[in-house]
Amino acid sequence: GVEVRHESGPGKRTHATPGTTEAITADYVVNATGAWAGQIGAMADLEIEVRPSKGVMTIMNVRQVDTVINRCRPKGDADIVVPHETTAILGTTDEEVSDPDDYPEAGWEVDRMIDTLSELVPILEEARTVRSFWGVRPLYEPPGTGTEDPTDITRDFFLLDHADRDGVSGMSSIVGGKFTTYRAMAEEISDHVCEKLGVTATCTTAEEPLPGSEHVETLEAAMDDFGLRSPVARRSKQRLGSRARDVLETDEPNPVICQCEGVTRAEIRDAISQSGSDLNAVRIRTRASMGNCQGGFCCQNMANELHPEYDEETVREALDELFQERWKGERHALWGEQLSQAMLNYALHATTMNRDRDPASADAETAAVDFAAFDGGSR
């Protein structure tokens, strides 16, 4: 088992007292920790040959292409443009790192994405870059392979039974793979654990529909449903699928909270009911704050929907976490229009909500601005 230390945090969960510890045991342990699988394995004195490899994705403001554009050449940096939702995603680099928690996010990687892929799609050279983000691939190299170039390491996944492999019973690791293979990985490891525990069951992940896609035939064809403007209703129904009517049909006011992505209050509240106070989880469910303004105009509106269920401190912490997450991805895309957008976001949040925590004084003698000068000294 494992001994864990409790901390507090956002989300829809019940927290134990922060700082307390608890021992958790299990009949069988699965190490499914991606790029961290080697570190977790080392805690059980197991050597798992994971080689983390970082890559960057750069997000453009609109869909400059409507189909995937890929270089027909040997694997290398900056070779694909993928349209996604309202954006185009440029990718990627492939550079081995020693620690998946600590690696450089270099501006040259973003520059390479734009400069190289502009050769394929020239409009990218003048397009607006919204943000960039880095991820770490959980590449697994079987013993004795000796690959030097991380681009040559297989993207396949592997199930390691540590009883057979290392003589350590009660534990297996599922390593490698990609997000596109996660359901296949889940099926294989679940079948494996069931066999170990003597459980007879049929895996249904290949047939089980994702939430909202259970009854595709019931989706509405009209675009002006639920009292929303046509594009907003269409985008909402694309995200919600067959859940659209249950979520959007409401007698309460349902304004648009995120103008960039067309996300309404009803959809935000539905996401909060599933994600609790974790506004980044709400963002992932709805795409709110992921448009050109990067949350500058809507983060505070999203946080407002947490009240009154959550107290002021929780709401402020949730707002700060969401806004910082948006800023983290903007730092390497600050030129042209996006630099102006970031400056506007800062000005709006600093001046209207004191988000920069400026210690302004209420004492006219020490205040940076003497407001008495504006009214002839009267108060």
Side-chain angles (χ1 to χ4, degrees):
V2 63
E3 185 176 12
V4 299
R5 183 181 66 253
H6 292 291
E7 300 292 349
S8 186
K12 189 177 182 181
R13 57 179 70 91
T14 301
H15 297 290
T17 303
T20 60
T21 60
E22 178 183 2
I24 300 174
T25 60
D27 293 329
Y28 202 87
V29 175
V30 174
N31 177 14
T33 54
W36 292 264
Q39 296 179 10
I40 298 299
M43 295 180 181
D45 293 327
L46 299 170
E47 186 175 351
I48 302 174
E49 299 79 3
V50 173
R51 291 176 58 176
S53 172
K54 73 166 182 175
V56 66
M57 297 286 193
T58 298
I59 314 300
M60 311 308 289
N61 64 322
V62 297
R63 293 168 62 108
Q64 281 84 11
V65 296
D66 280 325
T67 185
V68 174
I69 306 294
N70 207 161
R71 285 184 182 272
C72 294
R73 68 175 189 184
K75 293 173 292 185
D77 292 344
D79 56 9
I80 191 168
V81 184
V82 180
H84 176 68
E85 294 281 351
T86 58
T87 69
I89 303 177
L90 317 184
T92 178
T93 49
D94 204 335
E95 185 175 349
E96 193 165 351
V97 297
S98 58
D99 187 349
D101 283 313
D102 185 16
Y103 54 88
E105 298 178 354
W108 66 262
E109 296 176 270
V110 178
D111 295 340
R112 177 173 293 181
M113 291 302 102
I114 297 170
D115 293 344
T116 304
L117 288 169
S118 292
E119 299 171 3
L120 284 178
V121 185
I123 195 175
L124 293 176
E125 191 172 7
E126 303 297 330
R128 179 176 177 178
T129 306
V130 175
R131 67 184 290 110
S132 294
F133 64 90
W134 279 257
V136 179
R137 303 175 186 87
L139 303 183
Y140 174 76
E141 184 175 50
T145 305
T147 306
E148 295 184 4
D149 187 344
T151 63
D152 292 330
I153 300 176
T154 178
R155 268 51 172 173
D156 200 358
F157 64 87
F158 300 83
L159 195 161
L160 310 179
D161 185 337
H162 294 299
D164 297 339
R165 180 180 182 266
D166 305 288
V168 177
S169 61
M171 181 175 177
S172 290
S173 295
I174 185 84
V175 294
K178 307 179 70 171
F179 187 68
T180 51
T181 62
Y182 79 99
R183 295 188 89 172
M185 296 172 71
E187 179 174 2
E188 185 162 333
I189 191 64
S190 297
D191 287 345
H192 176 75
V193 173
C194 284
E195 181 181 353
K196 291 290 184 179
L197 298 179
V199 175
T200 301
T202 301
C203 185
T204 61
T205 187
E207 293 80 29
E208 192 75 19
L210 295 173
S213 60
E214 299 93 339
H215 307 290
V216 178
E217 67 278 1
T218 65
L219 295 181
E220 304 285 346
M223 291 172 57
D224 289 311
D225 295 335
F226 318 116
L228 304 174
R229 292 176 297 171
S230 297
V232 176
R234 176 170 53 83
R235 292 291 307 284
S236 296
K237 287 193 292 184
Q238 287 173 343
R239 288 188 291 262
L240 295 166
S242 58
R243 298 180 59 244
R245 184 165 295 281
D246 291 337
V247 173
L248 299 176
E249 198 166 57
T250 175
D251 294 330
E252 298 182 15
N254 189 24
V256 175
I257 299 296
C258 172
Q259 286 79 14
C260 293
E261 295 295 323
V263 185
T264 66
R265 172 179 289 166
E267 197 173 346
I268 293 290
R269 288 182 174 177
D270 173 68
I272 289 172
S273 72
Q274 301 172 73
S275 304
S277 61
D278 188 344
L279 289 180
N280 274 302
V282 173
R283 168 184 62 83
I284 292 171
R285 290 180 181 275
T286 64
R287 288 190 60 82
S289 80
M290 295 178 70
N292 285 347
C293 81
Q294 286 296 288
F297 296 160
C298 64
C299 276
Q300 69 278 4
N301 298 334
M302 295 168 64
N304 185 63
E305 296 304 318
L306 294 175
H307 182 77
E309 183 177 354
Y310 296 93
D311 60 28
E312 179 183 350
E313 181 180 1
T314 300
V315 173
R316 287 187 179 276
E317 288 179 357
L319 174 58
D320 284 344
E321 183 183 29
L322 175 63
F323 205 66
Q324 287 300 317
E325 185 68 21
R326 294 292 83 200
W327 167 245
K328 184 172 69 175
E330 291 180 79
R331 292 175 298 163
H332 297 287
L334 293 180
W335 59 81
E337 290 184 39
Q338 200 59 34
L339 175 59
S340 299
Q341 180 70 62
M343 293 175 65
L344 176 60
N345 289 352
Y346 172 79
L348 287 173
H349 283 250
T351 57
T352 61
M353 291 182 285
N354 195 31
R355 297 290 307 288
D356 59 350
R357 309 297 194 269
D358 181 16
S361 173
D363 187 343
E365 295 183 0
T366 59
V369 177
D370 183 1
F371 291 98
F374 290 91
D375 57 12
S378 61
R379 300 189 68 82

